[in-house]
Amino acid sequence: MIDIFHRMTFRGGIHPPEEKDRTKGIPIQTIPLPEKVVIPLSQHTGAICEPLVKVGDIVKKGQKIGEGKGSITSTVHSSISGKVVDISPHPHPLGSDILSIIIESDKKDEWVDSLTENEDYLSIEPAKLKEIIKDAGIVGLGGAQFPTHIKLSPPEGDRVEYVIINGAECEPYITSDHRLMVERASEIVEGLKIIMRVLSAKKGFIGIEKNKPDAIAKLKAQSSKLKAHIEVVGLNVKYPQGAEKQLIKSILKKEVPPSVFPIEAGVVVNNVGTAYAIYNAVRYGRPLIERVVTVTGNGVKDPGNLLARIGASFEFLIQNCGGFSGEPEKVIMGGPMMGIAQYTLKVPAIKGTSGIVVFSKNPPSSPFNKGGQGGLYQPCIRCGRCVDNCPMGISPNLYGLQAERGMIDEAYNWDVMDCIECGACSYVCPSNRPLVQFIKYLKAEVKKKQK
Ligand code: SF4
Ligand code: SF4
């Protein structure tokens, strides 16, 4: 049945200030080599890698230095050439300390000599393409860091009809995907063609919010040259437009139920950065050792979009943007809606680092830096705003109360596990209630009980 009310959007959602003007027009910048990198052995969903090198080893750029065992894992590579000086736990931007390989640069920046180029990459067999993607350590670069070779492996009997490249970039402040789409459009389209070949998909889409007209124009120009079935779709500007199921609803008019994975509904969604990394791996044999990181916020002197080596410290990347302007109040990995506040600048950029946002103490930062993220909060006044704006149609107000009262089973029965942790509820709450933190607590307790 045709949905006559369809408007390239989804139910619920919010319209926070975009705050992208600082960096959206600034080209991707190559920065000096870091003197040292810290490569965590976990930058992906699944089993942590085991080191393949030891202290004192000489490594090259692109050399595999960590490999995981188990069905869900990925590999890690050195992002510079140099010497392994330590293998020990180190602060990680997602939280606790993680075993990491620390490499000092020899300043030569030499590639490992086993890279294989493939000019005729679209004639490679799908299984071989998947092996190349796996070997290159490619994971979802939108932040989820799910191993891509697994995402491209549908369960037996499931057929993937559509591939969607996610260029929504709805998170305020962040412009790394935007710049990549403007500056690397042809590579992204080639990456999409490779994914479509792996999955034998019949059609590909690139979904981009309409606040990026230059990116839409570039990708339309690129895909119109092709005979391939690729369509560029302009999407309404609304948060969280880039969440997988919301993107699928907007583009395909298809509801994917909470307990169902997109692949089971015949759709695979990959970020633009992931498509670009796939192209580089398949065409040039290059593993994932660098990515675009937006360094921005009112606490950074010269915000920009940096081509950052994996393992470069936040401190190094902020210094490459002129350092702090004034006294920093908060440093976040990712955007202010779904990002994670950091307690040290020693943490390294990892595969899922799309941005670093710095809020300054003076002037006071923004509507994003309020209660809900650590400040004082008040009791629920039952205004219903969180429910109206929740894109998943669940009940964030209830979860707040259930968390305060330890009602874990009730929260489970009220579908707390369906929450995508987008933060829209916390953002609109007039009582500044930390609803996402409440929900994360409830989910962790449910998982403990299930174990
Ligand atoms: S309950 Fe979850 S999905 Fe709904 S708005 Fe809050 S964070 Fe987003
Ligand atoms: S938005 Fe805040 S105050 Fe309003 S119902 Fe939700 S939790 Fe309660």
Side-chain angles (χ1 to χ4, degrees):
M1 191 175 75
I2 295 171
D3 175 3
I4 55 167
F5 298 110
H6 186 72
R7 292 287 184 276
M8 292 302 172
T9 190
F10 57 92
R11 174 201 178 283
I14 56 174
H15 296 90
E18 295 176 21
E19 302 281 354
K20 292 176 188 271
D21 286 349
R22 288 180 186 86
T23 53
K24 70 180 186 187
I26 301 180
I28 298 168
Q29 192 187 332
T30 303
I31 55 174
L33 266 186
E35 286 184 3
K36 184 181 89 175
V37 291
V38 174
I39 313 279
L41 287 162
S42 176
Q43 303 181 50
H44 50 268
T45 307
I48 186 168
C49 293
E50 288 173 14
L52 299 175
V53 290
K54 55 186 186 320
V55 174
D57 281 1
I58 302 298
V59 294
K60 293 279 175 70
K61 175 167 73 165
Q63 181 176 330
K64 196 187 285 183
I65 56 172
E67 196 162 42
K69 289 193 178 126
S71 55
I72 300 184
T73 187
S74 188
T75 54
V76 294
H77 302 77
S78 179
S79 60
I80 56 174
S81 59
K83 186 175 175 181
V84 177
V85 293
D86 195 10
I87 301 176
S88 60
H90 192 277
H92 189 280
L94 294 184
S96 51
D97 289 6
I98 293 288
L99 189 65
S100 304
I101 299 178
I102 297 148
I103 301 164
E104 258 174 26
S105 171
D106 60 8
K107 299 187 171 53
K108 294 182 192 155
D109 204 27
E110 285 174 342
W111 276 106
V112 66
D113 46 21
S114 56
L115 303 185
T116 309
E117 295 203 15
N118 295 298
E119 262 182 57
D120 190 15
Y121 49 88
L122 286 175
S123 65
I124 300 174
E125 285 306 309
K128 177 70 184 160
L129 287 171
K130 221 156 57 177
E131 203 180 298
I132 296 172
I133 292 166
K134 179 182 177 195
D135 251 11
I138 297 175
V139 301
L141 296 195
Q145 303 193 127
F146 192 79
T148 301
H149 65 280
I150 298 172
K151 203 166 187 183
L152 301 186
S153 305
E156 192 131 346
D158 282 355
R159 171 149 163 59
V160 173
E161 286 186 288
Y162 305 109
V163 175
I164 297 178
I165 296 299
N166 186 353
E169 200 168 56
C170 57
E171 192 47 88
Y173 287 87
I174 308 299
T175 56
S176 46
D177 286 351
H178 184 170
R179 289 312 312 175
L180 200 66
M181 288 188 283
V182 170
E183 297 177 44
R184 310 278 197 275
S186 84
E187 292 90 335
I188 290 168
V189 170
E190 293 306 301
L192 170 55
K193 283 160 65 181
I194 294 167
I195 299 169
M196 289 172 69
R197 177 163 172 81
V198 171
L199 295 165
S200 306
K202 68 177 185 191
K203 182 151 187 184
F205 294 91
I206 305 175
I208 309 171
E209 280 193 343
K210 288 178 188 160
N211 58 359
K212 304 171 191 66
D214 48 353
I216 293 175
K218 286 267 181 179
L219 281 156
K220 272 194 172 164
Q222 204 58 46
S223 48
S224 65
K225 294 179 198 162
L226 307 170
K227 286 192 193 110
H229 299 288
I230 292 177
E231 188 181 333
V232 178
V233 182
L235 303 163
N236 285 359
V237 179
K238 185 162 74 163
Y239 182 86
Q241 182 68 80
E244 276 198 348
K245 291 181 181 175
Q246 282 63 32
L247 193 61
I248 293 169
K249 172 77 171 81
S250 297
I251 293 178
L252 296 173
K253 309 171 192 175
K254 199 171 184 160
E255 292 275 2
V256 183
S259 51
V260 173
F261 289 112
I263 203 162
E264 298 171 77
V267 191
V268 162
V269 180
N270 281 121
N271 171 266
V272 286
T274 311
Y276 178 65
I278 287 174
Y279 170 74
N280 270 324
V282 173
R283 169 67 183 86
Y284 298 108
R286 291 183 197 145
L288 180 53
I289 58 151
E290 61 187 4
R291 64 154 300 146
V292 184
V293 177
T294 302
V295 181
T296 185
N298 69 345
V300 174
K301 257 189 203 149
D302 302 314
N305 300 292
L306 310 183
L307 189 57
R309 296 289 168 97
I310 302 298
S313 72
F314 278 28
E315 188 175 28
F316 175 79
L317 298 177
I318 293 168
Q319 275 166 4
N320 273 278
C321 289
F324 292 127
S325 62
E327 195 181 342
E329 185 179 23
K330 190 182 267 189
V331 177
I332 300 172
M333 182 180 87
M337 296 301 297
M338 292 190 76
I340 297 172
Q342 302 297 313
Y343 71 94
T344 169
L345 297 178
K346 303 281 177 226
V347 290
I350 57 172
K351 295 174 184 177
T353 307
S354 57
I356 300 171
V357 180
V358 182
F359 290 137
S360 171
K361 270 192 180 156
N362 195 12
S365 39
S366 72
F368 299 103
N369 198 15
K370 62 172 189 172
Q373 307 210 2
L376 290 177
Y377 64 90
Q378 306 292 325
C380 172
I381 56 168
R382 301 187 183 189
C383 66
R385 284 188 209 171
C386 57
V387 178
D388 291 345
N389 290 283
C390 174
M392 295 304 287
I394 49 181
S395 310
N397 55 339
L398 269 188
Y399 305 140
L401 301 173
Q402 288 163 343
E404 283 170 329
R405 293 167 195 174
M407 297 162 72
I408 313 301
D409 293 341
E410 289 80 354
Y412 179 77
N413 292 334
W414 279 88
D415 301 324
V416 71
M417 303 309 275
D418 294 345
C419 169
I420 56 170
E421 299 176 19
C422 70
C425 51
S426 299
Y427 181 79
V428 296
C429 177
S431 295
N432 286 341
R433 289 175 65 71
L435 296 169
V436 180
Q437 280 91 332
F438 284 142
I439 290 166
K440 283 184 178 173
Y441 160 76
L442 289 168
K443 285 170 131 182
E445 289 302 308
V446 168
K447 279 185 192 154
K448 263 193 224 164
K449 277 197 151 193
Q450 284 172 338
K451 265 189 188 169

mmCIF file of all heavy atoms in Angstrom, residues 379-387 396-398 425 428-433 435, ligand 2:
data_model
loop_
_atom_site.group_PDB
_atom_site.id
_atom_site.type_symbol
_atom_site.label_atom_id
_atom_site.label_comp_id
_atom_site.label_asym_id
_atom_site.label_seq_id
_atom_site.Cartn_x
_atom_site.Cartn_y
_atom_site.Cartn_z
ATOM 1 N N PRO A 379 12.152 16.265 39.771
ATOM 2 C CA PRO A 379 11.208 15.169 39.533
ATOM 3 C C PRO A 379 10.459 15.359 38.202
ATOM 4 O O PRO A 379 10.350 16.476 37.701
ATOM 5 C CB PRO A 379 10.230 15.276 40.711
ATOM 6 C CG PRO A 379 10.933 16.094 41.735
ATOM 7 C CD PRO A 379 11.857 17.011 40.991
ATOM 8 N N CYS A 380 9.947 14.257 37.694
ATOM 9 C CA CYS A 380 9.154 14.277 36.454
ATOM 10 C C CYS A 380 7.853 15.053 36.698
ATOM 11 O O CYS A 380 7.178 14.836 37.697
ATOM 12 C CB CYS A 380 8.843 12.843 36.058
ATOM 13 S SG CYS A 380 7.697 12.697 34.689
ATOM 14 N N ILE A 381 7.518 15.959 35.777
ATOM 15 C CA ILE A 381 6.261 16.716 35.914
ATOM 16 C C ILE A 381 5.183 16.171 34.970
ATOM 17 O O ILE A 381 4.156 16.797 34.742
ATOM 18 C CB ILE A 381 6.480 18.223 35.671
ATOM 19 C CG1 ILE A 381 7.114 18.448 34.292
ATOM 20 C CG2 ILE A 381 7.328 18.847 36.782
ATOM 21 C CD1 ILE A 381 7.114 19.902 33.850
ATOM 22 N N ARG A 382 5.443 15.034 34.370
ATOM 23 C CA ARG A 382 4.491 14.340 33.489
ATOM 24 C C ARG A 382 4.005 15.203 32.324
ATOM 25 O O ARG A 382 2.821 15.199 31.999
ATOM 26 C CB ARG A 382 3.289 13.838 34.304
ATOM 27 C CG ARG A 382 3.740 12.899 35.393
ATOM 28 C CD ARG A 382 2.602 12.266 36.097
ATOM 29 N NE ARG A 382 3.127 11.429 37.170
ATOM 30 C CZ ARG A 382 2.399 10.608 37.874
ATOM 31 N NH1 ARG A 382 1.120 10.490 37.628
ATOM 32 N NH2 ARG A 382 2.934 9.887 38.827
ATOM 33 N N CYS A 383 4.936 15.933 31.753
ATOM 34 C CA CYS A 383 4.543 16.780 30.618
ATOM 35 C C CYS A 383 4.383 15.968 29.336
ATOM 36 O O CYS A 383 3.734 16.406 28.394
ATOM 37 C CB CYS A 383 5.595 17.870 30.409
ATOM 38 S SG CYS A 383 7.196 17.210 29.889
ATOM 39 N N GLY A 384 5.020 14.792 29.257
ATOM 40 C CA GLY A 384 4.878 13.914 28.098
ATOM 41 C C GLY A 384 5.778 14.262 26.915
ATOM 42 O O GLY A 384 5.735 13.596 25.884
ATOM 43 N N ARG A 385 6.622 15.271 27.059
ATOM 44 C CA ARG A 385 7.463 15.664 25.903
ATOM 45 C C ARG A 385 8.396 14.545 25.467
ATOM 46 O O ARG A 385 8.631 14.341 24.290
ATOM 47 C CB ARG A 385 8.316 16.879 26.270
ATOM 48 C CG ARG A 385 7.539 18.158 26.275
ATOM 49 C CD ARG A 385 8.495 19.316 26.464
ATOM 50 N NE ARG A 385 7.816 20.393 27.131
ATOM 51 C CZ ARG A 385 8.408 21.472 27.594
ATOM 52 N NH1 ARG A 385 9.697 21.620 27.465
ATOM 53 N NH2 ARG A 385 7.708 22.419 28.175
ATOM 54 N N CYS A 386 8.952 13.835 26.459
ATOM 55 C CA CYS A 386 9.902 12.764 26.103
ATOM 56 C C CYS A 386 9.205 11.667 25.301
ATOM 57 O O CYS A 386 9.774 11.126 24.355
ATOM 58 C CB CYS A 386 10.557 12.207 27.365
ATOM 59 S SG CYS A 386 9.386 11.592 28.581
ATOM 60 N N VAL A 387 7.962 11.382 25.664
ATOM 61 C CA VAL A 387 7.215 10.328 24.954
ATOM 62 C C VAL A 387 6.894 10.802 23.542
ATOM 63 O O VAL A 387 7.060 10.062 22.567
ATOM 64 C CB VAL A 387 5.919 9.986 25.727
ATOM 65 C CG1 VAL A 387 5.106 8.935 24.982
ATOM 66 C CG2 VAL A 387 6.255 9.510 27.139
ATOM 67 N N PRO A 396 10.142 6.897 27.862
ATOM 68 C CA PRO A 396 11.304 7.292 28.662
ATOM 69 C C PRO A 396 10.941 7.794 30.053
ATOM 70 O O PRO A 396 11.697 7.574 31.013
ATOM 71 C CB PRO A 396 11.955 8.404 27.840
ATOM 72 C CG PRO A 396 11.190 8.551 26.592
ATOM 73 C CD PRO A 396 10.062 7.603 26.575
ATOM 74 N N ASN A 397 9.798 8.460 30.203
ATOM 75 C CA ASN A 397 9.409 8.974 31.535
ATOM 76 C C ASN A 397 9.277 7.827 32.533
ATOM 77 O O ASN A 397 9.742 7.915 33.669
ATOM 78 C CB ASN A 397 8.103 9.769 31.452
ATOM 79 C CG ASN A 397 6.972 8.973 30.813
ATOM 80 O OD1 ASN A 397 7.207 8.008 30.097
ATOM 81 N ND2 ASN A 397 5.739 9.369 31.089
ATOM 82 N N LEU A 398 8.691 6.728 32.073
ATOM 83 C CA LEU A 398 8.528 5.553 32.945
ATOM 84 C C LEU A 398 9.874 4.978 33.354
ATOM 85 O O LEU A 398 10.076 4.587 34.500
ATOM 86 C CB LEU A 398 7.756 4.463 32.202
ATOM 87 C CG LEU A 398 6.255 4.436 32.338
ATOM 88 C CD1 LEU A 398 5.728 3.172 31.676
ATOM 89 C CD2 LEU A 398 5.853 4.474 33.801
ATOM 90 N N CYS A 425 15.036 12.247 24.375
ATOM 91 C CA CYS A 425 14.197 12.423 25.573
ATOM 92 C C CYS A 425 14.900 13.313 26.601
ATOM 93 O O CYS A 425 14.292 14.256 27.131
ATOM 94 C CB CYS A 425 13.822 11.068 26.170
ATOM 95 S SG CYS A 425 15.231 9.973 26.432
ATOM 96 N N VAL A 428 14.809 17.078 25.565
ATOM 97 C CA VAL A 428 13.565 17.877 25.664
ATOM 98 C C VAL A 428 13.032 17.971 27.091
ATOM 99 O O VAL A 428 12.101 18.736 27.346
ATOM 100 C CB VAL A 428 12.433 17.313 24.762
ATOM 101 C CG1 VAL A 428 12.820 17.395 23.293
ATOM 102 C CG2 VAL A 428 12.068 15.876 25.142
ATOM 103 N N CYS A 429 13.588 17.228 28.021
ATOM 104 C CA CYS A 429 12.993 17.158 29.360
ATOM 105 C C CYS A 429 13.168 18.486 30.126
ATOM 106 O O CYS A 429 14.296 18.899 30.394
ATOM 107 C CB CYS A 429 13.629 16.013 30.153
ATOM 108 S SG CYS A 429 12.998 15.929 31.833
ATOM 109 N N PRO A 430 12.062 19.144 30.510
ATOM 110 C CA PRO A 430 12.185 20.416 31.224
ATOM 111 C C PRO A 430 12.722 20.243 32.644
ATOM 112 O O PRO A 430 13.179 21.208 33.261
ATOM 113 C CB PRO A 430 10.751 20.954 31.248
ATOM 114 C CG PRO A 430 9.887 19.760 31.104
ATOM 115 C CD PRO A 430 10.655 18.774 30.274
ATOM 116 N N SER A 431 12.658 19.015 33.158
ATOM 117 C CA SER A 431 13.194 18.756 34.497
ATOM 118 C C SER A 431 14.656 18.299 34.444
ATOM 119 O O SER A 431 15.215 17.877 35.459
ATOM 120 C CB SER A 431 12.362 17.668 35.196
ATOM 121 O OG SER A 431 11.058 18.131 35.409
ATOM 122 N N ASN A 432 15.248 18.367 33.245
ATOM 123 C CA ASN A 432 16.658 17.968 33.069
ATOM 124 C C ASN A 432 16.946 16.568 33.581
ATOM 125 O O ASN A 432 18.041 16.296 34.096
ATOM 126 C CB ASN A 432 17.593 18.955 33.781
ATOM 127 C CG ASN A 432 17.702 20.261 33.030
ATOM 128 O OD1 ASN A 432 17.377 20.309 31.845
ATOM 129 N ND2 ASN A 432 18.117 21.306 33.713
ATOM 130 N N ARG A 433 15.983 15.678 33.453
ATOM 131 C CA ARG A 433 16.199 14.323 33.981
ATOM 132 C C ARG A 433 17.168 13.554 33.074
ATOM 133 O O ARG A 433 17.050 13.590 31.859
ATOM 134 C CB ARG A 433 14.849 13.589 34.102
ATOM 135 C CG ARG A 433 14.037 14.198 35.247
ATOM 136 C CD ARG A 433 12.655 13.612 35.369
ATOM 137 N NE ARG A 433 12.593 12.204 35.722
ATOM 138 C CZ ARG A 433 12.893 11.710 36.919
ATOM 139 N NH1 ARG A 433 13.293 12.489 37.886
ATOM 140 N NH2 ARG A 433 12.762 10.421 37.144
ATOM 141 N N LEU A 435 17.610 10.920 31.458
ATOM 142 C CA LEU A 435 16.852 9.719 31.071
ATOM 143 C C LEU A 435 17.739 8.667 30.400
ATOM 144 O O LEU A 435 17.555 7.469 30.625
ATOM 145 C CB LEU A 435 15.689 10.131 30.160
ATOM 146 C CG LEU A 435 14.663 11.034 30.868
ATOM 147 C CD1 LEU A 435 13.680 11.645 29.873
ATOM 148 C CD2 LEU A 435 13.896 10.253 31.942
HETATM 149 S S1 SF4 B 2 9.991 15.142 29.582
HETATM 150 FE FE1 SF4 B 2 10.812 14.930 31.671
HETATM 151 S S2 SF4 B 2 9.263 15.876 32.957
HETATM 152 FE FE2 SF4 B 2 8.283 15.531 30.969
HETATM 153 S S3 SF4 B 2 7.309 13.501 31.164
HETATM 154 FE FE3 SF4 B 2 9.342 13.157 30.328
HETATM 155 S S4 SF4 B 2 10.607 12.730 32.138
HETATM 156 FE FE4 SF4 B 2 8.747 13.713 32.876
#
